[in-house]
Every structure is written in C-alpha cells, then in structure tokens.
Amino acid sequence: MTTAGGAPGPRFLGIGAQKAGTSWLHRQLSSHPEIWLPPEKELHYFDSLAEGTIPLWQRAAGRSHEATRWRRQVRRQLKRLRHGHMARSDAGWYARYFLGSASAGWYRGLFPTTPGLIAGEFTPDYGIVDDAMVATVREELADDLRVILLLRNPIERVWSHAKMEERLLGIDVEATAVEMVERERPRLHTDYLATIDRWSRQFPADQVFVGFMEDIAFSPDALLDRVCEFLGVTPLGTYPAAHRAVHRGGHATLPTAVATALAHGLGDDITAQADRLGGPARWWAFTAEQLRTSPPDEPLAYPLWESVLWDRWIESGQGPDPTHLHGDVLARLTA
C-alpha cells in the first residue's frame, strides 16, 4: 500500500451512481461498529475541491455551483443544530469542513485514524470525474482503496434525477426527464460502463464493488453482508433499518410516455450494460425493449418492478428474480 503523506484519509469511496441508493448504503454503514463515515455525507473533494477552495466570502455570497452547495450544506446543518440533532462531538469536524481551505492534507484530516475502524465517504459525483482525477485519487489516497458503485435502471435513474431537480428548482419533471437524455452530466451519471472502465484503469477489479438497486429492494441484508466482506469488516447478517427507504420521492407512477422516450434515448446504453453486467441489467434491457415496442396504455407503477412490466418479465420466462451475487459481475468485468 502507498499513501500520500500525513493522515491516511478514507480507505473506501462510494462513487455513485447518483440516485441509485448511496444514501441508503451510507445510512446502513454508518451504524456498523467497525466503519466510520463523515457527519456530512457528500464531501465533494475530488469532483470539486481538489483544485482548491474559493474564498469564504465567495462561498457565502457567490453564485457558483460549489458556493450554492456549500450554503445548502451549511443551512441543513444549522437546522440540525437548532433542533438539537447534531452531536456536540461533531461540531469541530463541521468547523474544519466548512471553514477549512481545501487541500489533500485538509481532506485526509477529515478522517480519523482510530484503530479498529475503517473510514470512508460517499460522493456520487466521483463516478463521473475524468481519468486524470481518478489517478489523483490513487496518488492522494492508497493503492488498496476500495471503491463502491451502485447502479440503477437508467430509465428510473433519470426519472429520479428529474424529480430531484423538480424539488430543488421547481421545474417541470416530465419535460426535464426527457431532455436529460441530451444533457452531458445526467448522461454521464447513467454511463455506468464508462465509470467502471475509468476507475478500473486505476484500481483492480477486485477493489471495485458493483451493486444494484434491485439488490437493495429484494435482498438488502445479503447486499450489506457482501459490502462488509468487500470492505474487510464483520458482516452482521441482519440490519434493522435495511428495509427502510431513504429519500424516496413522492411520485408513485412514471408516465408511460416519459418512460418510452427514455427507453428510446437510453436503449443502446442499456443493451450494452445488460450484455456486460448481466444480472439486473438484463431486467433493465427487458423494460427498455418493452417500452420501445409495446408500451402499456396505463401509467407505470414506480419503481418499474412494481409495474405491469414485471408481470411481463415473469411471463417471458426470463424472471422473476433479477438479483445476483457480486461475484457474477466481478467475473464479467475481469473476463
């Protein structure tokens, strides 16, 4: 193992995908006695801060994406503080994070060196950084860093992303979802194979864990045990909050016209993902093909495994269980 000088920093990173269950996994691992995660879920160092922090006054008043996010994070934590939801022991950490000047040493210093604990963090935007930044991750952290990537049916992921923008920006969710297929950042967040390839060029396949939203829905305890084994901590077998959703949106349906447009726009990517990853990605390919060729007349229940498409999947003989072991994906990635 090699690391940059000073504090070792995180031993694992959750790199995405955005809207694919990272908040759920962060919450589950936060309660594990052998794992430490920061009080603030997304630190945004490698996607935003590695080149340096803008001055504090600009963070407080500027219009940049970084400044806006910083203020949103500060407001959220001040609200927790006012309501007595912030642990006193976290106050010093927040002061370093919000007021410190970003650097490799600053970032690594956000993580403890407590014996018996493995530290990590989740920032889904890490999944779309370029090759040079992934190389920086390896240079600044460790050769044996563990990387966790959760994936979701691209049609569902884009719809969930659009719902998030509706909540934050007040935009029309249906129009936004359709046009996201043409926008660079949302498309990058759904280009899972490119993400896997970028990170695998710096870290061996056995240091990259690939899980699926379907794992969370159908076998959350088993998924968490596999993640624990991957990280080298004790699997707990059962996790009391594993069946509790995090940040689930209020839309119980996905308009069929929107889903069909997304299936046409993302279909080639989904087919490539199914061919390479197998497992739940084969279910994604089935949904995309059904939407392109024979979309249902009624709105689709959401998530899609609660819709009529799931019944078709069973009737086709290809279902009903899209879940798989991580080793199946690992074998495909290393073949």
Side-chain angles (χ1 to χ4, degrees):
M1 180 188 76
T2 61
T3 62
R11 299 299 305 280
F12 71 90
L13 295 178
I15 65 168
Q18 191 179 62
K19 315 307 297 178
T22 59
S23 292
W24 175 88
L25 185 55
H26 179 273
R27 177 172 292 182
Q28 305 309 316
L29 295 184
S30 292
S31 64
H32 195 290
E34 299 169 27
I35 295 174
W36 184 91
L37 290 165
E40 184 72 33
K41 180 200 167 207
E42 299 183 17
L43 303 188
H44 288 283
Y45 176 66
F46 291 107
D47 67 293
S48 178
L49 303 177
E51 303 301 326
T53 301
I54 62 175
L56 183 59
W57 68 269
Q58 288 187 12
R59 279 182 272 172
R63 297 184 179 181
S64 70
H65 179 69
E66 180 193 342
T68 301
R69 182 180 60 238
W70 183 86
R71 290 194 298 272
R72 186 167 60 244
Q73 289 177 325
V74 169
R75 286 195 298 268
R76 183 171 63 246
Q77 298 311 327
L78 287 175
K79 182 179 179 180
R80 291 182 63 233
L81 181 63
R82 287 196 301 270
H83 289 85
H85 296 156
M86 181 185 293
R88 182 172 298 180
S89 58
D90 290 338
W93 186 93
Y94 279 114
R96 292 193 302 275
Y97 176 65
F98 285 126
L99 304 179
S101 180
S103 67
W106 165 83
Y107 174 71
R108 293 194 302 272
L110 295 173
F111 299 87
T113 56
T114 309
L117 283 182
I118 178 173
E121 69 126 328
F122 284 80
T123 299
D125 280 338
Y126 292 168
I128 63 172
V129 299
D130 60 21
D131 282 278
M133 187 53 68
V134 179
T136 297
V137 172
R138 181 166 184 164
E139 292 167 3
E140 294 194 358
L141 298 182
D143 293 341
D144 63 349
L145 182 79
R146 300 285 163 152
V147 178
I148 299 173
L149 176 64
L150 297 180
L151 307 181
R152 183 178 192 175
N153 187 327
I155 295 169
E156 293 181 2
R157 200 216 70 78
V158 170
W159 177 244
S160 183
H161 192 154
K163 290 195 297 175
M164 178 181 69
E165 293 204 356
E166 178 189 41
R167 291 192 298 271
L168 294 176
L169 305 175
I171 48 79
D172 179 81
V173 63
E174 295 186 23
T176 298
V178 173
E179 62 95 12
M180 271 185 174
V181 174
E182 304 300 327
R183 283 168 49 188
E184 182 180 13
R185 282 184 65 84
R187 193 67 184 243
L188 286 173
H189 276 294
T190 311
D191 193 352
Y192 305 142
L193 299 185
T195 295
I196 291 169
D197 288 342
R198 279 194 303 275
W199 284 83
S200 295
R201 281 192 281 271
Q202 295 295 328
F203 299 97
D206 62 357
Q207 290 173 217
V208 180
F209 182 97
V210 178
F212 295 83
M213 181 67 86
E214 285 81 1
D215 295 330
I216 297 174
F218 293 104
S219 53
D221 291 331
L223 172 64
L224 289 168
D225 274 351
R226 296 200 302 273
V227 171
C228 288
E229 291 168 357
F230 173 73
L231 296 177
V233 300
T234 305
L236 302 182
T238 58
Y239 303 80
H243 293 269
R244 188 180 306 158
V246 178
H247 299 330
R248 182 160 184 173
H251 292 260
T253 60
L254 194 170
T256 300
V258 174
T260 300
L262 295 176
H264 283 284
L266 299 167
D268 290 344
D269 290 346
I270 295 174
T271 298
Q273 291 162 5
D275 290 343
R276 184 167 170 192
L277 300 177
R282 289 192 289 265
W283 153 246
W284 306 344
F286 180 85
T287 64
E289 178 63 19
Q290 289 291 306
L291 289 166
R292 290 195 301 265
T293 59
S294 53
D297 294 329
E298 70 273 17
L300 293 163
Y302 174 79
L304 292 178
W305 60 72
E306 296 179 357
S307 75
V308 67
L309 297 178
W310 183 256
D311 298 329
R312 294 184 186 180
W313 170 249
I314 296 173
E315 293 168 2
S316 74
Q318 301 176 56
D321 183 6
T323 59
H324 70 291
L325 294 178
H326 174 64
D328 176 55
V329 171
L330 181 61
R332 291 174 178 272
L333 294 179
T334 57

